[in-house]
Amino acid sequence: MSKTLTPSIQDYLKHIYDLGQGDRMVSTLELAQRLNVAPASVTGMVQKLASAQPPLVIYKKHQGVTLTRAGRRAALEVIRHHRLLETYLVRFLGYRWDQVHEEACRLEHAISEEFERRIAEALGHPLRDPHGEPIPTADLTMPKDPSTPLHTLRPGQRVVIRRVDAHDPDLLCHLASLGLTPGVYLQIVHMSIFDHNLTVRVGRKSLVLGQAITTRIFVEQLESG
């Protein structure tokens, strides 16, 4: 990873990519809320990133910010570090999936490319992290992810969980207690037209899930029959 990019800059690029899913323009307010900093501080930083050589972002006042090609590559590099580290912590060091995010945030800025290569090799070059998030390839390409939010599904559909939102440890603990983890199969049984709660069947049990959960679980629909 380039020595010229500070941990703060890497964090900005990572979160711009995450919030914008790689290409959507992200507002400075969204970034401020994600980073828990003042909007004025975000504006100052994105202006700095836009004036870097080469520019890391494109910033349009009152519209937001998006990554340039250089900014995207830098973001994918730190995301690759982060997700490989999370996978390593779970598989080899006995961490739970709700414990690894903050640890990986601290470590992702420090590891060398050789260390990254060795971790990937030791893990067997995994495609997804413990939360089901796709891991960018060594050439910094983000694999395609066909998953959609669970709340968009309707009764009668069968799905498999592909990934979950990894930012909230309490949510991860709750999902684990319900058995809602990547690779688990669900049947959509009912949707309430009033509050859009979903009733799903997991194995032999049924669960009623509100939108606070169904918007943060991402699934892939299975072929009928």
Side-chain angles (χ1 to χ4, degrees), residues 11-60:
D11 283 341
Y12 267 82
L13 297 176
K14 177 179 70 173
H15 289 300
I16 291 169
Y17 184 94
D18 187 40
L19 289 167
Q21 291 303 297
D23 51 17
R24 181 180 70 82
M25 189 158 278
V26 176
S27 73
T28 52
L29 180 59
E30 285 180 286
L31 262 179
Q33 291 172 338
R34 170 64 68 86
L35 293 163
N36 197 28
V37 298
S41 297
V42 170
T43 299
M45 175 59 90
V46 297
Q47 288 174 337
K48 176 181 176 180
L49 299 179
S51 62
Q53 291 300 323
L56 297 171
V57 304
I58 298 170
Y59 172 60
K60 296 182 179 180

Side-chain angles (χ1 to χ4, degrees), residues 26-144:
V26 176
S27 73
T28 52
L29 180 59
E30 285 180 286
L31 262 179
Q33 291 172 338
R34 170 64 68 86
L35 293 163
N36 197 28
V37 298
S41 297
V42 170
T43 299
M45 175 59 90
V46 297
Q47 288 174 337
K48 176 181 176 180
L49 299 179
S51 62
Q53 291 300 323
L56 297 171
V57 304
I58 298 170
Y59 172 60
K60 296 182 179 180
K61 191 175 181 180
H62 305 308
Q63 295 184 48
V65 60
T66 189
L67 297 171
T68 63
R69 183 176 182 276
R72 181 184 177 91
R73 284 186 63 81
L76 287 172
E77 187 170 7
V78 73
I79 290 169
R80 176 171 167 80
H81 285 190
H82 183 96
R83 294 178 181 174
L84 284 172
L85 284 163
E86 288 191 331
T87 308
Y88 185 84
L89 291 168
V90 168
R91 286 200 198 173
F92 291 133
L93 300 185
Y95 281 72
R96 299 191 311 268
W97 75 334
D98 58 289
Q99 297 175 318
V100 294
H101 182 71
E102 291 303 321
E103 289 282 12
C105 283
R106 285 187 283 269
L107 294 168
E108 66 193 12
H109 309 294
I111 68 171
S112 68
E113 299 314 299
E114 176 63 14
F115 192 75
E116 173 207 304
R117 185 190 68 78
R118 293 192 181 209
I119 286 180
E121 186 174 318
L123 291 167
H125 303 284
L127 300 179
R128 291 179 180 265
D129 72 9
H131 312 107
E133 296 281 11
I135 298 173
T137 61
D139 65 359
L140 301 181
T141 299
M142 180 63 83
K144 297 291 185 182

